[in-house]
Structure formats: structure tokens, C-alpha cells
Amino acid sequence: MSEHLPSFRLDDQVVVVTGASRGIGRGVAEGLAATGAIVAVTARSLADAEVVVAAITDAGGRARGYALDVTSIESINMAVDQIVADHGRLDVLVANAGLGANLPALEVTEEHWDSMMDANLKGAFFTAQACARHMVGAGAGRVVAISSQASLVGITDHVAYSSSKGGLNQMVRVLALEWGPLGVTVNAVAPTFIYTPGTAERLDDPDYRAKVVERIPVGDVGEIKDVTGAVVYLASEAGAMVNGSILTVDGGWTAQ
Ligand SMILES: NC(=O)c1ccc[n+]([C@@H]2O[C@H](COP(=O)([O-])OP(=O)(O)OC[C@H]3O[C@@H](n4cnc5c(N)ncnc54)[C@H](O)[C@@H]3O)[C@@H](O)[C@H]2O)c1
């Protein structure tokens, strides 16, 4: 082994993942468990979280389920306090929970706009704040927010979603400045289209998928493990010097 190869493992680290009942959140929770982490699997419903906990423990990992709705500050605080009470520490937050829907700007309603902002931006902020209170007390922690390529470039029919994710990037930069000196790094992963239950309906349409893939220089949409790899990097020793970054995992979409 070389002293110049950092560890990509998260042995015994307590990791919180929001929106972990399916898609990227579930995959990241399972992937982090395989690096040795103790995963707090959070979902709006405890029953949904328990399904993922069972999958992780069946695979030999360690996990516990919690109900956490990111649109309720009370729910966030209750879950985070319970996680710290159960495990005595909280090392990493993966702020993944989010909503996405396509709508031409002229059809966007107040309800649509608010739902994106509440889950994708406000929810991520108040979850990060609740977790950081414990991390700052311990003098160490990592926050990884799941942003999107749509935070960096315009994508037609995504005005509320793109605005929420653009705001999320700015949140990351400000928190990196405030919490970095206190031992807590804050970064985002910005994926391209990843095939999940949230995108399956659109990506199963061959015309839609072809238009998407045309924009991705590596020639295909991403997989959940592409996102997990970036999260592991940012959450582990390997990412110790990375703070305030928006790490694109987009096959080159935003390079053009
Ligand atoms: N799949 C993609 O192409 C893609 C690309 C870029 C970014 N992202 C982002 O990745 C994240 C996950 O996306 P996905 O494709 O896995 O979506 P998904 O719809 O498959 O899963 C989203 C998860 O978030 C949860 N969630 C929604 N509102 C919540 C709330 N109020 N409280 C707690 N949990 C809530 C859902 O229950 C679900 O488990 C989102 O933030 C999304 O914006 C996805």
C-alpha cells in the first residue's frame, strides 16, 4: 500500500441518506454500506426505509431505518436527533431527496414551483443544517448534495427544477465557506440523466432517450453506480481537500 493512496472506505462512519427508498438514494445507501458505513436509511415512510434496510443487512451491511420528510423541518429534526441518539455520532449526509418534472415555463403553477423548491432546495438546506449542528460539535463531517446538470446549463421545460438545483449549488458554496473552517466539507454531485424510477417513464420513450443520449458525449445515460462513486469520493478520506465543488457526473453534457 502507498501512503499516497487515500482510503475510499467509510468504515464505522454514520451516514444519513435522504430519499433512500428508491432510485439514486437507495443505490447510494446500498453502495455506502458496502464501504463499511453504518447507514441511516431515511424515507418519507418508515416502511419504505425498512425495505432498504433489509436489503442492506441481507447483503452483510449495517443500516437502520428512519421516517424523514424533507419538506417538514420538524420531521428532519426528529429524525436527525434520533439518528444521533441511536449511533452517538453523524459523519456524512447525502442530501438526495428531490422531485423532478418537466413543464413548459408558461404552464408552471405556484404549486409546481413551490413543490420543487420545498423538496430540492429548502429541504436540502434544513437537513444539512440539522446534521451540521452535530458535525460542527464534533469538528468533522461531510455533506454531499445531489444536484443535477440542470443546475449548470439550461434544459427546456425544467425552469422550476433547474432553478432549485442552481440554488442548491449556491447553497453548497456558501456552506462550504461557513462550515469548512469548522471541519465540515460541503459539495454537490451533478449527474446527467440516470435511469431510475423517477426517470424511467421518460427514458423508456425511445425518442426522448435518443434526444438525451445525443447530448451526452460518452454516448449513454448514467447508472446509479456512477453517482455512488462520486459520493464515496467526496465522503471518504480521498475527498478531504474538496470543498465547495460541484462535481459533474454527466458524460460531458455540460462540457459543450
Ligand atoms: N435520475 C436522474 O436522471 C437525476 C439526474 C440528476 C439529478 N437527480 C437527482 O437525484 C435525486 C434522486 O433522483 P432519482 O432519479 O433517484 O428520483 P426518484 O424519484 O427515483 O427518487 C426520489 C426519492 O426522493 C424521495 N423524496 C421525494 N420527496 C421527498 C420528501 N419530501 N422527503 C423525503 N424524501 C422524498 C422519494 O420518495 C424517492 O425515494 C434527486 O434529487 C434528483 O433531482 C436525478
Side-chain angles (χ1 to χ4, degrees):
M1 297 298 284
S2 164
E3 63 175 298
H4 303 300
L5 177 66
S7 172
F8 287 82
R9 290 195 57 85
L10 290 167
D11 292 299
D12 302 326
Q13 301 272 296
V14 176
V15 175
V16 181
V17 185
T18 63
S21 63
R22 68 179 209 183
I24 291 171
R26 177 175 179 157
V28 166
E30 293 182 1
L32 292 176
T35 73
I38 301 162
V39 183
V41 175
T42 76
R44 272 178 293 195
S45 121
L46 180 59
D48 288 347
E50 296 295 4
V51 173
V52 180
V53 168
I56 289 174
T57 49
D58 285 354
R62 289 176 291 171
R64 193 154 170 174
Y66 300 87
L68 193 166
D69 181 338
V70 299
T71 61
S72 157
I73 294 174
E74 187 188 3
S75 166
I76 293 168
N77 289 336
M78 271 178 59
V80 170
D81 287 349
Q82 191 59 49
I83 291 163
V84 174
D86 288 345
H87 302 285
R89 55 189 289 171
L90 196 172
D91 301 291
V92 178
L93 165 67
V94 183
N96 163 80
L99 301 173
N102 296 10
L103 210 53
L106 290 174
E107 294 172 24
V108 167
T109 60
E110 184 179 10
E111 188 188 12
H112 172 85
W113 181 270
D114 286 348
S115 68
M116 296 288 154
M117 293 297 164
D118 284 352
N120 298 354
L121 183 53
K122 185 178 171 188
F125 172 70
F126 282 103
T127 312
Q129 185 194 56
C131 292
R133 285 189 175 125
H134 296 282
M135 294 171 177
V136 163
R142 303 286 174 88
V143 175
V144 182
I146 307 300
S147 185
S148 166
Q149 66 182 10
S151 68
L152 298 166
V153 293
I155 300 180
T156 311
D157 298 340
H158 278 66
V159 68
Y161 181 78
S162 289
S163 301
S164 70
K165 295 292 188 178
L168 186 68
N169 291 2
Q170 285 301 85
M171 179 199 90
V172 160
R173 295 182 179 111
V174 174
L175 298 184
L177 297 181
E178 291 195 25
W179 297 346
L182 305 174
V184 179
T185 66
V186 186
N187 294 287
V189 177
T192 187
F193 282 86
I194 309 289
Y195 191 84
T196 67
T199 54
E201 195 180 323
R202 282 171 284 164
L203 292 177
D204 284 341
D205 171 354
D207 290 341
Y208 190 92
R209 189 185 178 104
K211 281 192 190 128
V212 164
V213 169
E214 204 177 65
R215 300 281 307 269
I216 304 176
V218 301
D220 205 353
V221 299
E223 295 179 47
I224 291 172
K225 68 181 176 185
D226 299 321
V227 181
T228 308
V231 172
V232 169
Y233 167 58
L234 293 171
S236 65
E237 184 193 10
M241 262 310 272
V242 186
N243 189 30
S245 283
I246 314 301
L247 176 54
T248 55
V249 179
D250 67 359
W253 181 305
T254 58
Q256 54 210 319

